[in-house]
Amino acid sequence: GDEDRPVTWVSLRDAREYCRYFGKRLPHAYEWQLAAQGTDGRQYPWGNDMEWDRIPPVQRNGTEVVLPKVLQHRTSDSIFNVSDTVGVVWQLTDVFHDPHTRGVVVKGSSNFNPILSGDFPALPQVGNWYFPPARKLTQHNRILLMDESIDRAGTVGFRCVASHPEGAPGPRHVHDAAVSYLI
């Protein structure tokens, strides 16, 4: 019974290879943003106010993530009819790197947000100061990439996209030793 659930526990390379097999790729962060948000600057795919009944219930207990089935919350679809962008699994997008680190930008947040025990860091609390939920479309998190064998999680998935053959090219990044900008 997991065929109706998001694919998780895959590395960045696994996700890229899966997409490539079907002639697709992972989305850039700006593509994910446009598909989920549209062009009017909304905070959530459905509008500007958080409506908890539009996303899967937040899972706060347990150590095993129970993912919701895909397409079960169609009222949270974006204006472009993209489903499950918020509150299901974190979704892999762009890789970034500097001379010291390499990571991936994840968007969309997960439905898993456990209550931390009184042993860490002090009192029982909801959430995680290091990797907080980011349900607003203007928010994201980053995962530090260290090794294929440990760059996997039950709360991180992906979606594949295809470039439209007749579409305009997207912005490209230009990196220079002194300057980094988007054109």
Side-chain angles (χ1 to χ4, degrees):
D2 286 341
E3 61 274 358
D4 292 337
R5 300 189 191 282
V7 174
T8 58
W9 292 109
V10 295
S11 69
L12 177 63
R13 182 172 63 189
D14 293 340
R16 284 178 167 168
E17 288 176 6
Y18 180 90
C19 292
R20 193 174 303 118
Y21 179 83
F22 290 99
K24 299 180 180 183
R25 60 181 171 74
L26 292 175
H28 293 292
Y30 61 83
E31 292 170 319
W32 188 99
Q33 185 89 18
L34 178 64
Q37 189 175 36
T39 58
D40 60 3
R42 58 186 59 206
Q43 294 293 309
Y44 302 94
W46 55 84
N48 287 318
D49 297 318
M50 180 55 171
E51 298 176 28
W52 290 100
D53 60 328
R54 291 185 181 258
I55 64 172
V58 175
Q59 182 183 336
R60 299 213 187 277
N61 297 320
T63 57
E64 184 177 336
V65 178
V66 180
L67 295 174
K69 291 183 177 184
V70 296
L71 304 177
Q72 294 297 302
H73 294 85
R74 297 306 301 262
T75 61
S76 69
D77 286 6
S78 75
I79 60 171
F80 296 120
N81 294 318
V82 178
S83 300
D84 300 325
T85 54
V86 175
V88 180
V89 294
W90 291 100
Q91 297 173 33
L92 299 168
T93 62
D94 285 322
V95 171
F96 65 92
H97 56 86
D98 62 31
H100 306 289
T101 60
R102 181 173 166 262
V104 64
V105 176
V106 289
K107 301 201 52 107
S109 210
S110 167
N111 74 320
F112 187 64
N113 189 23
I115 295 176
L116 303 176
S117 75
D119 296 334
F120 177 81
L123 299 173
Q125 57 183 295
V126 174
N128 185 330
W129 63 270
Y130 180 72
F131 209 77
R135 293 181 188 94
K136 286 185 178 181
L137 298 172
T138 55
Q139 299 171 327
H140 70 276
N141 266 320
R142 301 180 306 172
I143 298 174
L144 182 64
L145 297 174
M146 299 189 312
D147 185 84
E148 287 288 315
S149 63
I150 58 174
D151 293 341
R152 302 162 188 265
T155 56
V156 178
F158 65 98
R159 63 178 67 228
C160 300
V161 298
S163 298
H164 192 283
E166 299 171 14
R172 58 188 170 87
H173 296 273
V174 176
H175 296 280
D176 172 303
V179 99
S180 178
Y181 54 95
L182 184 70
I183 42 175

